[in-house]
Amino acid sequence: MLFPDVHSAASLTVSPDRVQHFTSDSVSLTCEGNFTEWRVRKFSEDGRLYSDCGRMTGSTCNINTSESDTGVYWCESGSGEFSSAVNITVQNDGNGPILVSPVHPVTEGASVSLSCSLKTQKILSNVFFYHNDKLIQNDTRGELKISAVSKSDEGFYKCQSSGRESAQSWMSVKVTGPSSSPVWLMVGLVCGVSLIIILLLLLYRCRQSKYSCFTRSIQSESHSPGSSTNHGVNQNQTHVYGSLQHGQHLN
């Protein structure tokens, strides 16, 4: 079961910090944040919602794990703040291995180590590691180390040792984008406004320049010799037409 990550003032830590646990393990779930009242809520595999831990001491829920403790857990404060949810899986095969993987999402670029463990033996060798059911490592190393986690490393992981296979657990990768400083936002805003003002001024000057050129062109045409001649011809034509109307003879 997977629940989305929630950004909140409340947080939940799990000790030991791993998703999978053996039966009869002692697991502590601690709520953290600037609140006085806490409860740990659980959504079980069979779809039941449990409103409290039942074994709460202050802000910590202590569990002596059994198979029924498998589920999704999160903290809720008295004022209604929620933490991110975490998956807890309890191994029902006492002789089988568990995958040791982090409870919370791994930040992109960080390093992470996954290992395979038995109840009687913490670190195993000759382990097969799988990512989304694809074999990615098979050698004498007992750990799968990823030096710089990327988003492509997100997915389901499981391990296999001596013919026995662990349950699979989801490893999330948290991508952190570039932070936007208020100073840089102001600089960008000022630059953008300045650019718009400059473009408007250039457009205004360009239009003024075109209008000035057009005006000068008209004025130059009206004062050209050809225009004066045409004006004289028009006056003569008017004089001739008027004389004809009054029956005068033209010399």
Side-chain angles (χ1 to χ4, degrees), residues 219-239:
Q219 290 176 348
S220 62
E221 287 180 3
S222 64
H223 291 86
S224 64
S227 298
S228 300
T229 304
N230 291 337
H231 182 66
V233 170
N234 290 337
Q235 285 183 337
N236 290 335
Q237 289 177 346
T238 304
H239 175 69

Side-chain angles (χ1 to χ4, degrees), residues 11-17 27-32 60-61 75 83 86 103-104:
S11 63
L12 170 62
T13 59
V14 180
S15 180
D17 182 16
V27 179
S28 297
L29 294 87
T30 303
C31 301
E32 297 178 347
T60 300
C61 173
C75 290
S83 72
V86 300
V103 169
H104 293 289

Side-chain angles (χ1 to χ4, degrees), residues 189-207:
L189 181 62
V190 171
C191 290
V193 172
S194 301
L195 181 60
I196 292 173
I197 293 173
I198 292 171
L199 289 174
L200 289 174
L201 287 174
L202 289 174
L203 180 62
Y204 175 78
R205 294 194 63 180
C206 181
R207 295 185 66 178

Side-chain angles (χ1 to χ4, degrees), residues 1-2 19-20 87 89 91 97-99 101 130-134 155-159 165-171:
M1 287 180 289
L2 301 174
V19 175
Q20 298 183 21
N87 290 281
T89 302
Q91 173 64 277
I98 63 169
L99 175 73
S101 61
Y130 295 84
H131 177 217
N132 294 330
D133 288 325
K134 181 181 178 181
F156 286 102
Y157 287 83
K158 64 182 178 181
C159 65
E165 195 174 84
S166 73
Q168 63 179 5
S169 291
W170 177 268
M171 187 180 79

Side-chain angles (χ1 to χ4, degrees), residues 14-25:
V14 180
S15 180
D17 182 16
R18 62 176 189 247
V19 175
Q20 298 183 21
H21 302 269
F22 298 106
T23 55
S24 300
D25 277 353

Side-chain angles (χ1 to χ4, degrees), residues 66-122:
S66 64
E67 189 178 348
S68 62
D69 290 315
T70 294
V72 177
Y73 292 80
W74 67 94
C75 290
E76 182 180 346
S77 71
S79 58
E81 289 285 339
F82 294 88
S83 72
S84 298
V86 300
N87 290 281
I88 297 293
T89 302
V90 180
Q91 173 64 277
N92 56 7
D93 181 2
N95 297 318
I98 63 169
L99 175 73
V100 179
S101 61
V103 169
H104 293 289
V106 181
T107 304
E108 187 178 36
S111 62
V112 66
S113 294
L114 308 182
S115 62
C116 207
S117 176
L118 286 173
K119 194 173 181 68
T120 56
Q121 188 177 353
K122 297 302 181 184

